[in-house]
Amino acid sequence: MASSKFVKKLTSMAIVGVGGVAAFTGISFYNGNEKFYENILMPTIQKVSGETAHELAIFLCKHNLFPSSTLKDPESLKISFFNHQLSNPIGIAAGFDKQGEAVENLERIGFGFVEIGSVTPQPQPGNPKPRVFRSPLDEAIINRYGFNSLGHAVVFENLKGMKERQRFKGVLGVNLGKNKTSENALEDYSKGLRLFSPIADYIVVNVSSPNTPGLRSLQSKKELQELLTNLLKIRESLPAEHRKPILLKLAPDLTKDDVNDIVTVVTNGSSKIDGLIISNTTIGRDDLKNETFARETGGLSGLPLKLKSTQLIAEMYSLTKGKIPIIGVGGIFSGQDAFDKIEAGSSFLQLYTAFALHGPPVVEKIKSELDGILKEKGFKSIEAAIGLRADGIFGSIFIQNKM
Ligand SMILES: Cc1cc2nc3c(=O)[nH]c(=O)nc-3n(C[C@H](O)[C@H](O)[C@H](O)COP(=O)(O)O)c2cc1C
Ligand SMILES: *[C@@H]1O[C@H](CO)[C@@H](O)[C@H](O)[C@H]1NC(C)=O
Ligand SMILES: *[C@@H]1O[C@H](CO)[C@@H](O)[C@H](O)[C@H]1NC(C)=O
Ligand SMILES: *[C@@H]1O[C@H](CO)[C@@H](O)[C@H](O)[C@H]1NC(C)=O
Ligand SMILES: *[C@@H]1O[C@H](CO)[C@@H](O)[C@H](O)[C@H]1NC(C)=O
Ligand SMILES: CC(=O)N[C@H]1CO[C@H](CO)[C@@H](O)[C@@H]1O
């Protein structure tokens, strides 16, 4: 039943004709399983540019054209997330639904929670195109979007409409960005915090992006301390029901000193945040097979990021003694990848690249594989496995300290 509805929707969509993509001639082959995506939809999507593929996927989501997942989330995957209960720990990472227009369909696809953004105060166009590159060979994406955003006002309206429809029952994160030309990161983030706190279940701020000049300086201890202390103060000034968890998202390209500084700040009284998201994309280009791809500038995600992000998770988990919940993200394609991130110290997970390259079935695949691994190893829940192998087993490859 879901499938015939999907075909009908796709047909009407083909009439609407997104970007002239005659993508859906294969509609009649659709039988509601992974094959439709692997053999028809995803290869078609691979033929258009990275950004068009992204727009197409957002279009499909926005109009609820991806069918609902038929998998009932296994009991073992249940986990509490701050004051909420998730039926599974796998969320969609920031950057997919930048404008907050696809939230409902993302939940129906089977994601346990949804993070939107990054959203900047004023609208901004981001970098010139092309700015998204895929390498199926490497199972990787490089992007240099540069924070294209419709801005706070539009994204807020999108989310408000979504709340009013009352279809979305899940957990919503809002990832805050700052305008490229903005001199004052705190001002941009505090605007975002005030505006989105009533509507979001958690808020994310970041300390790094590979594309915005001057960004890395924020990773210096004092600035980070100041930023977080101020944001937490602002949160305290909000009505109690609007005080939401604040999470900090980290880049994976940190020196040992950076890591120590961040740990000192995020565990210290007045700047103690509620969680970490590890990690964002990397500026590294290790182990890439596709040389054309490797030459593009921007943030690299997917398989080549996997180990680096797992190592930083393990390191952070150990240094914070497991006291700060971690959302693990970076190159999760399978149940084993998810389980590794959990054993390294993540309580929750997110993905982007696997979803972009393989479509919705990858979410069900990861969930059932993870359930299988937990059962096979005798874990009744995810909680029981968090951080069990945080101490050294994933190795450590810090980049050299700058000084
Ligand atoms: C095309 C693209 C755009 C992204 N945009 C953002 C963004 O706006 N804000 C953000 O915090 N992370 C962004 N990310 C990073 C992802 O949220 C995630 O941290 C990263 O891709 C690693 O996960 P993955 O290997 O599963 O893709 C983006 C990633 C990609 C591929
Ligand atoms: C290599 O990278 C280029 C640029 O992203 C891409 O167009 C091409 O499809 C990639 N090739 C393979 C085999 O992944
Ligand atoms: C955001 O960007 C716009 C346009 O680039 C700029 O005018 C503005 O000062 C920036 N900062 C804030 C806080 O809006
Ligand atoms: C902890 O935070 C306070 C400000 O809230 C600061 O004065 C102090 O230096 C910090 N401690 C460390 C070890 O950084
Ligand atoms: C992560 O990096 C991407 C570029 O790869 C950027 O768009 C995004 O805003 C960054 N996010 C954070 C939270 O650092
Ligand atoms: C998406 C976004 O705004 N990223 C920001 C991350 O943090 C640095 C430092 O404040 C900003 O300059 C970036 O713009």
Side-chain angles (χ1 to χ4, degrees):
M1 95 251 143
S3 63
S4 70
K5 205 167 134 207
F6 183 45
V7 171
K8 234 162 82 196
K9 283 185 171 178
L10 269 186
T11 315
S12 63
M13 198 206 101
I15 295 164
V16 176
V18 214
V21 184
F24 300 102
T25 45
I27 290 165
S28 54
F29 293 93
Y30 177 68
N31 53 7
N33 66 25
E34 210 167 321
K35 286 204 177 74
F36 170 73
Y37 291 95
E38 283 301 327
N39 301 335
I40 297 159
L41 187 60
M42 298 320 285
T44 309
I45 285 183
Q46 301 306 347
K47 289 197 183 74
V48 300
S49 79
E51 185 154 351
T52 307
H54 184 193
E55 282 167 358
L56 187 61
I58 288 290
F59 179 93
L60 292 170
C61 271
K62 189 172 168 178
H63 297 277
N64 270 298
L65 291 162
F66 283 120
S68 295
S69 163
T70 51
L71 177 83
K72 185 178 178 311
D73 285 343
E75 278 296 301
S76 68
L77 301 190
K78 264 196 191 158
I79 187 160
S80 66
F81 181 94
F82 300 99
N83 292 319
H84 302 270
Q85 191 68 34
L86 303 181
S87 68
N88 78 76
I90 302 176
I92 176 83
F96 180 75
D97 186 8
K98 283 178 186 278
Q99 325 296 356
E101 51 195 357
V103 177
E104 290 144 314
N105 205 172
L106 288 166
E107 178 178 50
R108 290 178 40 231
I109 283 168
F111 284 108
F113 62 108
V114 175
E115 185 173 314
I116 66 112
S118 302
V119 50
T120 59
Q122 300 298 314
Q124 62 177 33
N127 292 326
K129 296 178 189 180
R131 49 194 182 176
V132 191
F133 307 87
R134 289 160 302 174
S135 175
L137 187 63
D138 296 296
E139 297 263 36
I141 294 177
I142 290 173
N143 89 85
R144 49 169 183 269
Y145 266 112
F147 318 138
N148 55 313
S149 174
L150 295 177
H152 280 177
V154 171
V155 174
F156 184 77
E157 282 308 310
N158 288 346
L159 295 179
K160 217 172 109 215
M162 184 271 293
K163 288 271 165 169
E164 281 162 10
R165 289 192 291 277
Q166 294 190 342
R167 280 189 221 126
F168 178 73
K169 301 273 182 277
V171 166
L172 176 73
V174 175
N175 184 306
L176 300 178
K178 89 182 227 327
N179 279 132
K180 190 173 178 184
T181 53
S182 170
E183 309 266 286
N184 190 338
L186 173 64
E187 197 184 306
D188 281 19
Y189 288 137
S190 55
K191 272 187 192 161
L193 182 65
R194 288 177 203 279
L195 180 64
F196 290 102
S197 281
I199 216 166
D201 297 305
Y202 71 95
I203 298 283
V204 185
V205 296
N206 80 89
V207 273
S208 162
S209 139
N211 307 318
T212 309
L215 206 97
R216 267 156 200 281
S217 67
L218 229 189
Q219 293 189 178
S220 78
K221 195 170 157 185
K222 197 167 148 279
E223 278 173 277
L224 181 62
Q225 172 99 42
E226 245 175 63
L227 176 70
L228 297 182
T229 306
N230 281 309
L231 286 176
L232 291 170
K233 266 191 207 148
I234 293 169
R235 179 176 66 177
E236 276 323 293
S237 73
L238 300 174
E241 70 272 25
H242 295 165
R243 290 176 207 151
K244 304 295 166 69
I246 296 178
L247 282 72
L248 184 68
K249 187 162 175 177
L250 304 179
D253 311 300
L254 299 171
T255 64
K256 186 86 184 149
D257 287 347
D258 293 334
V259 167
N260 288 333
D261 285 352
I262 291 170
V263 169
T264 314
V265 173
V266 302
T267 54
N268 176 14
S270 63
S271 52
K272 196 158 175 269
I273 42 98
D274 304 291
L276 293 167
I277 304 186
I278 304 172
S279 71
N280 199 4
T281 51
T282 174
I283 53 174
R285 292 291 183 268
D286 295 341
D287 307 323
L288 292 180
K289 300 184 194 101
N290 184 336
E291 289 172 22
T292 334
F293 177 73
R295 279 195 293 272
E296 296 295 346
T297 56
L300 173 69
S301 59
L303 200 57
L305 171 64
K306 180 163 78 180
L307 182 60
K308 214 182 234 187
S309 113
T310 307
Q311 286 172 333
L312 185 58
I313 291 164
E315 187 77 18
M316 278 291 172
Y317 183 88
S318 302
L319 291 172
T320 58
K321 305 188 176 62
K323 285 189 183 135
I324 301 182
I326 295 171
I327 300 180
V329 48
I332 299 176
F333 287 81
S334 68
Q336 185 63 52
D337 297 341
F339 188 68
D340 285 346
K341 289 271 193 289
I342 292 167
E343 282 199 313
S346 321
S347 305
F348 318 103
L349 308 164
Q350 284 179 333
L351 49 97
Y352 186 140
T353 301
F355 181 62
L357 298 181
H358 300 285
V362 81
V363 184
E364 277 190 17
K365 181 187 97 122
I366 294 170
K367 290 193 290 189
S368 14
E369 286 174 1
L370 179 58
D371 176 50
I373 293 170
L374 289 168
K375 290 215 167 82
E376 181 198 309
K377 301 201 183 262
F379 293 111
K380 288 210 171 55
S381 69
I382 290 165
E383 262 112 345
I386 297 169
L388 286 186
R389 294 202 302 155
D391 286 322
I393 198 130
F394 293 101
S396 170
I397 42 151
F398 281 113
I399 55 174
Q400 292 298 305
N401 284 335
K402 284 165 219 146
M403 290 182 264

